[in-house]
Amino acid sequence: MLEGWDMSDAANAAADTARAAAEEKSALSHPPVDPDATAAYGDDPDQVIDFYVPRAEGAAGRPAPVVAVLHGGAWRAPYDRRHISPFAAFLTRRGFAVAGIEYRRGAAEAGEGDPVAGRWPDTLDDVAAAVDALPALVREHLPQADAGRIVLTGHSAGGHLALWAAARHLLPEDAPWRTDRPAPLRGVVALAPIADFAVADKLEVCGGAVRQFLGGDGKFAERQPYADPALLVPTGIATTLVQGRRDIDVPQAVAEAYTVAAAKAGEVVGLTLLEDVGHFPLIDPAADACAVVAEEIAQLAW
């Protein structure tokens, strides 16, 4: 038996694993919700954005703010935007218009084994292109929405992409995705995000997904400055992280490390910690945590 490890620790670990499995099952049990419109921002089949019109009136009858949603799934191909579409529909019932962004993800190597995490540089190419194209596409496909009032949100790996997209003006000067000014966003709400690559890599989050995403051992240090949100602060964009304290997929320490990095850079980032909540309730319309997420988005959107 490991030193300091006893039967109560084993029981707690088993309970955490069982709870996490039940939370994931609940979040993924909702049938996908078809969008009201879909538009391409590129030629690849994955370069599309789904649009959902608001199903409830917003504040004082004003045009609805837009929530741009980036799904998670460790940047791996089996997880696409369909699994987060019930969350998108939930937000429309709260008076938001929603844009569900798809992007290219990692596929199985030579048709064998588990899918790798992400495609470098394609995944980041797509997120940058989608965010750049979003205001014009919103004006075309969501006429009842305010294209000047966009909040970017994302879950897990999608939370990483949301934080990264808001920090492109801080990228190294030779980065192809760098912009000369901050993105025109009302804010970012990152949900259990893979927000600090060093900490996430140390914890082997999502089966070592961070190291895979950056191309393995030989590319990690070279590419980290171009992709790690914790190295891209302060953004100057209002940012809130929402994190379950009992998340065993992307532990609380990852979100905390990002907020510490931001604070050292002179920026205050909100961190909402939810008791007795794991990874998936944040996007599960049946969970109380999902309502908390909607309120955090509303704080920035209006």
Side-chain angles (χ1 to χ4, degrees):
M1 181 178 294
L2 295 174
E3 184 179 352
W5 180 266
D6 58 27
M7 293 299 293
S8 63
D9 293 322
N12 289 337
D16 286 344
T17 300
R19 187 203 71 258
E23 289 176 341
E24 180 177 2
K25 181 178 180 180
S26 176
L28 301 182
S29 68
H30 308 285
V33 179
D34 292 333
D36 296 292
T38 298
Y41 63 87
D43 296 329
D44 190 272
D46 281 329
Q47 293 174 322
V48 295
I49 302 175
D50 288 338
F51 294 99
Y52 299 81
V53 302
R55 307 297 180 188
E57 186 175 332
R62 295 162 60 187
V66 180
V67 183
V69 178
L70 288 154
H71 70 82
W75 310 285
R76 291 178 172 129
Y79 305 95
D80 63 17
R81 68 194 187 282
R82 298 290 286 169
H83 83 268
I84 208 168
S85 62
F87 172 70
F90 171 83
L91 292 176
T92 67
R93 297 192 293 273
R94 293 296 185 109
F96 300 109
V98 178
I101 298 172
E102 190 56 280
Y103 53 90
R104 285 173 288 180
R105 306 166 309 286
E109 294 182 357
E112 298 179 359
D114 293 332
V116 297
R119 289 169 57 175
W120 187 280
D122 302 7
T123 299
L124 299 182
D125 286 347
D126 288 358
V127 172
V131 171
D132 289 346
L134 188 58
L137 291 175
V138 166
R139 286 190 286 269
E140 180 179 355
H141 296 282
L142 288 172
Q144 58 280 91
D146 183 352
R149 194 175 290 271
I150 297 175
V151 173
L152 193 56
T153 191
H155 177 241
S156 195
H160 156 260
L161 294 172
L163 293 169
W164 177 85
R168 288 165 57 202
H169 57 295
L170 301 177
L171 287 168
E173 290 188 2
D174 63 341
W177 315 288
R178 183 182 167 94
T179 57
D180 60 3
R181 61 178 60 89
L185 300 169
R186 292 285 297 180
V188 176
V189 179
L191 313 176
I194 304 178
D196 184 303
F197 275 14
V199 174
D201 182 58
K202 183 178 180 180
L203 296 175
E204 297 186 345
V205 164
C206 299
V210 167
R211 193 156 289 260
Q212 286 183 17
F213 179 64
L214 295 184
D217 294 345
K219 295 291 185 180
F220 187 92
E222 173 189 337
R223 291 176 173 174
Q224 186 182 3
Y226 297 83
D228 186 349
L231 301 181
L232 301 171
V233 287
T235 67
I237 295 173
T239 301
T240 296
L241 276 56
V242 184
Q243 175 75 41
R245 285 189 178 274
R246 300 187 68 179
D247 191 334
I248 62 174
D249 294 286
V250 183
Q252 178 179 331
V254 180
E256 289 178 333
Y258 176 84
T259 62
V260 169
K264 288 180 178 179
E267 186 164 63
V268 176
V269 170
L271 176 58
T272 299
L273 297 173
L274 303 181
E275 299 290 341
D276 298 320
V277 170
H279 193 62
F280 283 93
L282 303 178
I283 60 165
D284 183 356
D288 292 341
C290 201
V292 175
V293 169
E295 289 300 320
E296 294 288 356
I297 292 172
Q299 291 293 320
L300 299 181
W302 292 110

